[in-house]
């Protein structure tokens, strides 16, 4: 089969790394570290495009829409990872932010490389999720050519969803298929074509921004605090306790009792203490202020 993508920057061979198999371990590690250091700068170039996409996503999510990531291979695994972190970090319903990977769940732990070539499967995945006009679909593909992702974005567009294309090459078909194009051009990899390296790091950085800033825009933080988190283990219980004490100025025992009454939900505990309410009253007050803690405390 003829390689259809030889011209892509992510597929080029960098002569600086042509002899890495003959170098000592520390030298290879330093070369990789130097290569990785260029990634944040490449992301910085496209921050305006990232910001515009995030604002559009947050607007639709604020109206009740979902955020759906679609990718194949490494890109798909990063997409699923970012989505899976939203419930524990921001207290979201697992359905609100979802990751879709070509090849399905099996592709998370073992390579199902051929799955990325199935554009019809990408479209079917969007149909299966009943993507609609309030949803935002972010296609993630280092090459920007993955048929599974392109098929998904085409179907999402047909259904009226917002579409974003995240790739690591200039002029990618994914950019043309999306309403918002984000192209983080990181160049050739240390190991030629291994886009789990710089391209994967770039994608992770951008996905971090998309999910985190969207949640900030939706009021799911208070300042820089994960106010929506629930204390589901000892580490999180300690974090929630410190958070409640810091925001309210309450002592340890008061904060601990409020958290217990709130079922470990830090935001509810804060409102209980600040407004002298029980858990039910605090939840009702939060709901009346759109679940935004800053508005609830100042109102």
């Amino acid at each position: 089969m003829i390689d259809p993508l030889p011209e892509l920057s992510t597929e080029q061979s960098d002569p600086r790394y042509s002899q890495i198999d003959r170098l000592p371990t520390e030298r290879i590690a330093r070369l990789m570290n130097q290569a990785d250091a260029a990634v944040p700068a490449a992301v910085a170039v496209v921050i305006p495009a990232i910001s515009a996409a995030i604002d559009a996503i947050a607007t639709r999510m604020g109206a009740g829409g979902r955020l759906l990531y679609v990718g194949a291979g490494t890109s798909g695994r990063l997409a699923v990872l970012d989505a899976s972190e939203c419930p524990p970090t921001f207290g979201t319903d697992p359905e609100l932010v979802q990751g879709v990977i070509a090849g399905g769940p099996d592709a998370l732990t073992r390579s199902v490389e051929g799955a990325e070539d199935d554009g019809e499967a990408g479209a079917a995945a969007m149909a299966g999720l009943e993507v609609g006009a309030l949803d935002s679909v972010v296609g993630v593909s280092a090459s920007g050519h993955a048929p599974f992702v392109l098929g998904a974005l085409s179907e999402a567009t047909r259904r009226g969803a917002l579409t974003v294309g995240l790739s690591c090459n200039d002029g990618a078909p994914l950019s043309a298929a999306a309403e918002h194009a984000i192209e983080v051009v990181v160049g050739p990899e240390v190991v030629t074509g291994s886009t789990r390296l710089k391209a994967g790091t770039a994608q992770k950085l951008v996905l971090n921004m998309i999910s985190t800033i969207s949640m900030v825009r939706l009021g799911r933080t208070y300042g820089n605090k994960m106010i929506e988190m629930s204390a589901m283990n000892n580490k999180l219980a300690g974090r929630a306790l410190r958070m409640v004490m810091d925001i309210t100025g309450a002592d340890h025992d008061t904060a601990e009792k409020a958290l217990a009454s709130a079922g470990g939900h830090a935001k509810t505990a804060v409102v209980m203490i600040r407004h002298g309410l029980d858990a039910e009253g605090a939840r009702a007050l939060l709901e009346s202020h759109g679940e935004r803690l800053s508005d609830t405390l100042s109102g």
Side-chain angles (χ1 to χ4, degrees):
M1 182 177 179
I2 297 174
D3 180 5
L5 309 174
E7 75 286 356
L8 300 184
S9 64
T10 50
E11 294 296 319
Q12 302 306 303
S13 180
D14 192 323
R16 291 178 296 175
Y17 312 126
S18 63
Q19 304 293 319
I20 60 171
D21 59 334
R22 302 180 186 181
L23 298 177
T25 298
E26 184 173 336
R27 178 59 181 153
I28 300 172
R30 291 191 182 280
L31 285 172
M32 289 188 69
N33 182 245
Q34 290 168 9
D36 289 341
V39 175
V43 172
V45 171
V46 295
I47 281 180
I50 296 169
S51 301
I54 291 170
D55 283 339
I57 289 167
T59 296
R60 295 208 182 194
M61 293 185 78
R66 298 170 294 175
L67 171 58
L68 307 174
Y69 296 132
V70 183
T74 296
S75 299
R77 294 181 192 102
L78 290 170
V80 173
L81 172 64
D82 195 76
S84 69
E85 293 288 353
C86 286
T89 306
F90 301 110
T92 59
D93 186 292
E95 301 297 314
L96 184 64
V97 184
Q98 299 182 49
V100 178
I101 183 170
D106 287 347
L108 291 173
T109 56
R110 63 180 62 189
S111 175
V112 188
E113 297 296 346
E116 75 173 59
D117 296 329
D118 192 343
E120 291 183 1
M126 297 299 95
L129 287 169
E130 298 182 343
V131 167
L134 291 179
D135 294 326
S136 301
V137 178
V138 179
V140 191
S141 168
S143 70
H145 286 67
F148 180 89
V149 180
L150 291 170
L153 256 65
S154 177
E155 178 65 14
T157 298
R158 189 185 72 78
R159 291 168 168 267
L162 174 78
T163 55
V164 178
L166 170 57
S167 68
C168 294
N169 282 283
D170 282 320
L174 184 58
S175 298
E179 185 176 342
H180 291 268
I182 302 171
E183 296 179 340
V184 188
V185 182
V186 295
E189 300 285 4
V190 172
V191 174
T192 303
S194 183
T195 52
R196 69 186 183 87
L197 300 176
K198 288 192 298 181
T201 300
Q203 291 171 333
K204 181 65 168 70
L205 292 176
V206 176
L207 292 173
N208 282 348
M209 290 182 180
I210 291 174
S211 58
T212 302
I213 301 173
S214 293
M215 293 299 143
V216 171
R217 295 274 74 86
L218 292 171
R220 302 195 78 87
T221 64
Y222 180 71
N224 64 344
K225 294 178 173 59
M226 296 189 292
I227 198 63
E228 290 283 1
M229 58 162 278
S230 292
M232 304 301 289
N233 59 39
N234 289 335
K235 179 186 73 175
L236 295 179
R239 184 181 296 165
L241 181 62
R242 292 189 297 273
M243 193 186 310
V244 173
M245 293 171 65
D246 182 48
I247 295 171
T248 66
D251 59 35
H252 181 284
D253 289 345
T254 300
E256 190 171 50
K257 288 176 182 177
L259 270 171
S261 296
H265 191 234
K267 184 165 72 170
T268 301
V270 167
V271 176
M272 290 171 64
I273 294 170
R274 288 285 291 270
H275 286 284
L277 299 170
D278 61 13
E280 184 177 352
R283 292 189 188 100
L285 187 61
L286 278 164
E287 185 176 349
S288 71
H289 286 84
E291 300 291 340
R292 291 179 178 269
L293 182 58
S294 57
D295 292 345
T296 305
L297 295 183
S298 63

